[in-house]
Each structure stands twice: as C-alpha cells, then as structure tokens.
Amino acid sequence: MSDVAVQFSKTRLALIALLTLLVALATYFYFSGYGAVVEQFVFDYLRDNREVLQATIADNFIIAISLYMLIYAAATAFSVPGGAVFTVCGGFLFGSLLGTTLTVFAATVGATAVFLIARSALGEMLRHKAKGQTEKLLEGLERDAFNYLLVLRLVPLFPFFIVNIAPAFASVPLRTYVIATFVGIIPGSFVFSQVGAGLGSIFDAGETLSLSSVLTMDIFLALTGLAVLSLIPVVYKRIKARKTT
C-alpha cells in the first residue's frame, strides 16, 4: 500500500473516530445521568488523540466542519443533552472564533428545525412532553417575542428544548425566532468555545477540566447583564403604555 493510501486510510479512520465520539457522547448523555463521567471520557479522548485530530482537520477542513455542524444541528434538533460539551469540542478542534461561528449556525439550524416541527402536527406531542413548562413562557413571548426570547437564550433559565418549542405555541414569527436565537446564543457559545480553545494548555499542564467550573459567577453575571439590557425595551414599552392610558 502506498504512503498516500496509508495516509488517506488513517485520515478516514480519524474522521470516523471523531464522528463516533460525538455520536456516542450524544447517545450516552441522552440515556445516562452520568454527565461528569462522559465529560471526562471526552476530554481524555481529545487529549490522547490531539495531534491526530488536528492533523485530520488540517487535511480535511471542509469535511471536518461539515461533520461537526451536521452532528451539532442534529443533536439540537433531537434535543440531545450535552450541548456545552459539543461546544467545547468545537472550540478545541477549530479555535474559539471559528468554533463559535460553526456552533451558532448549527445550533440555530437545529433549534429552527424543532420550532418548525412544533408548528406541525407533532406540536401537541411535544407540548405534552414539555409537561406544561411552555405555558410559563407564553405570556412573555406574546408581549415582546424578540426581547423575551433573547433573554431566554442569554441566560439558561429554562431547558434549551423548552425555549425551542415554546415560541411555536405563542405564534412567534419564524424570522423573529431565528434572529433572537442566533444572537442570543453567541455569548454562551463563545465562552465554551474559548474554553475548548484553551484545552491544549490545560492538557500540557496536566490539569483536569470540569464544565461545572467553567460557568463562573463572573461569566454568569456578564450573561445576566446582557439579558437585563435586552429587557430594557420591554420595560420602556410597558412604562410608555401606562403613561398613555
């Protein structure tokens, strides 16, 4: 077998290994409650296969980003838990800026798919699965869909799945949903992508990483601050409406 064929075979195997890792991660998160164990498995895998994965992506860049976006969008569409781990992987594989960009686009596509499904004949089934949690969001979404949805995206007060389907039941326009989702998930995606981009230095130092330590109080307060800014137009409209009545 020629050197080129051997290299191609190794590259293909590395891509398959990466794909298998992400799918296994999604499946494990879905059926198991051992999130910390899965996190450690993923980080160990990235550390042990760091050079191979980086070389694979360098040689097969378009295929790699396409696979990542496809898997991320599918995981979002099927409401598979573990989005933070996926995003950290994206930052590790593609860097903070590109990783954030790929994640935001893929997550928006997946969330939009759920939104459209919720507006189909399957909507009632999804609403029943949510066990009444969507009802808590309907009033705010009906009053000011964009800003309220933006707040929900910035600060994870409700599960991502609930925030994906609730706007469908509040008759939120598709355009409003897509834009608010796209903009709202950028800060959080960047935080976790930045963590992924810094994994190399963590591995070199022999340290361990836990996602529970990533969302520090400073980061949470920063995201909350952005959410408060998003609410300013809502508060202004209500004050203005009271003055005119």
Side-chain angles (χ1 to χ4, degrees), residues 49-134:
N49 298 276
R50 179 179 174 184
E51 294 182 1
V52 176
L53 290 172
Q54 291 175 341
T56 297
I57 290 173
D59 296 336
N60 302 271
F61 186 69
I62 301 300
I63 296 176
I65 63 175
S66 299
L67 276 175
Y68 176 78
M69 292 184 70
L70 178 63
I71 295 170
Y72 202 115
T76 304
F78 286 101
S79 303
V80 177
V85 178
F86 276 116
T87 307
V88 170
C89 289
F92 176 81
L93 297 173
F94 305 107
S96 59
L97 293 180
L98 181 57
T100 299
T101 302
L102 298 177
T103 294
V104 170
F105 273 100
T108 301
V109 169
T112 302
V114 177
F115 175 83
L116 294 175
I117 291 173
R119 284 202 164 166
S120 70
L122 298 175
E124 284 305 316
M125 181 187 70
L126 293 177
R127 198 166 187 169
H128 177 72
K129 182 181 178 181
K131 298 178 180 178
Q133 294 186 64
T134 58

Side-chain angles (χ1 to χ4, degrees), residues 115-116 118-119 127 134-135 137-146 149 163-178:
F115 175 83
L116 294 175
R119 284 202 164 166
R127 198 166 187 169
T134 58
E135 315 305 323
L137 308 180
L138 296 184
E139 183 180 354
L141 288 168
E142 289 170 354
R143 286 186 177 181
D144 195 312
F146 181 83
L149 182 55
V163 181
N164 286 342
I165 65 172
F169 307 133
S171 301
V172 174
L174 176 61
R175 182 172 179 272
T176 299
Y177 177 87
V178 171

Side-chain angles (χ1 to χ4, degrees), residues 31 47-48 60 66 71 103 109 126 130 143 146-147 150 163 181 199-200 202 222 226 240 242:
F31 291 105
R47 182 195 62 222
D48 297 339
N60 302 271
S66 299
I71 295 170
T103 294
V109 169
L126 293 177
R143 286 186 177 181
F146 181 83
N147 289 288
L150 192 59
V163 181
T181 296
L199 270 182
I202 293 177
L226 290 173
K240 187 177 180 180
R242 288 180 180 178

Side-chain angles (χ1 to χ4, degrees), residues 4-17 52 55-57 59-60 63:
V4 175
V6 170
Q7 181 62 34
F8 176 78
S9 178
K10 289 182 178 179
T11 298
R12 184 173 59 181
L13 287 174
L15 279 174
I16 292 174
V52 176
T56 297
I57 290 173
D59 296 336
N60 302 271
I63 296 176

